Amino acid sequence: MTMRSALEPHRLRRVFGSFPTGVTAVAALIDGVPAGLAANSFVSVSLDPPMVSVCVAHTSTTWPVLRRAARLGVSVLGVHQEDAGRQLSARSGDRFAALDWRAGDDGAVFLDGSSAWLDCSIEQEIPAGDHDIVLLRVHDLDADPAVAPLVFHGSRYRRLHPHAD
């Protein structure tokens, strides 16, 4: 294996895309209207205090709006929510049209039927290349083990196959 001195973006995407990830919706009410984005760069960070993180591109037009929210909802999309993932990734249009969602008391927005949800606030933003790592403190959360998660791998949505015991 040889290392090239210049790593082309398409090559980086191909290799980074070989690592399967879950898909999340990060959303909040902004001036009474839901705003959100899809993020597959979600990761657990700490149990004490409870923290998770997502990475957001500097080119995002949604993040500057979302970062004003007191609370953010993180919904781990279920396998049946592939269309929601595509819709929340769109650059234009109403990202919440025809989506079933609910808002928490502090304005965090959660997609109904998700595999899990977390009610968070922004703890810290850390510049990292062309993205920001957004460290989120978790205030409440729950999961539905009956809902299989949506997976992103190789630049497309995929499903986990159940293991036969």
Side-chain angles (χ1 to χ4, degrees):
M1 180 184 308
T2 61
M3 294 296 290
R4 296 182 187 172
S5 59
L7 298 175
E8 302 88 12
H10 72 278
R11 188 166 170 238
L12 284 167
R13 283 185 189 274
R14 181 178 54 81
V15 174
F16 289 173
S18 69
F19 182 73
T21 66
V23 182
T24 62
V26 180
L29 287 178
I30 304 296
D31 300 326
V33 178
L37 52 82
N40 70 323
S41 58
F42 171 83
V43 65
S44 60
V45 174
S46 171
L47 295 176
D48 187 18
M51 292 186 180
V52 297
S53 71
V54 294
C55 295
V56 181
H58 291 163
T59 57
S60 172
T61 57
T62 306
W63 180 244
V65 174
L66 276 178
R67 72 163 22 126
R68 300 182 335 204
R71 292 287 180 94
L72 297 171
V74 178
S75 300
V76 178
L77 299 188
V79 70
H80 63 285
Q81 293 176 308
E82 184 175 326
D83 289 341
R86 290 185 200 292
Q87 199 166 315
L88 289 164
S89 297
R91 297 212 181 265
S92 62
D94 180 357
R95 292 183 179 168
F96 286 85
L99 295 183
D100 293 326
W101 57 274
R102 64 182 170 81
D105 293 339
D106 291 322
V109 169
F110 309 98
L111 295 185
D112 292 339
S114 294
S115 178
W117 61 267
L118 302 92
D119 184 346
C120 303
S121 62
I122 298 170
E123 183 79 13
Q124 185 178 2
E125 292 183 63
I126 304 158
D130 58 5
H131 281 63
D132 287 329
I133 301 167
V134 183
L135 189 60
L136 301 170
R137 182 173 297 255
V138 179
H139 300 282
D140 197 8
L141 73 168
D142 204 357
D144 184 347
V147 178
L150 183 61
V151 176
F152 195 72
H153 177 254
S155 297
R156 58 185 252 217
Y157 293 113
R158 299 179 187 259
R159 300 163 189 260
L160 296 177
H161 291 283
H163 184 281
D165 291 332

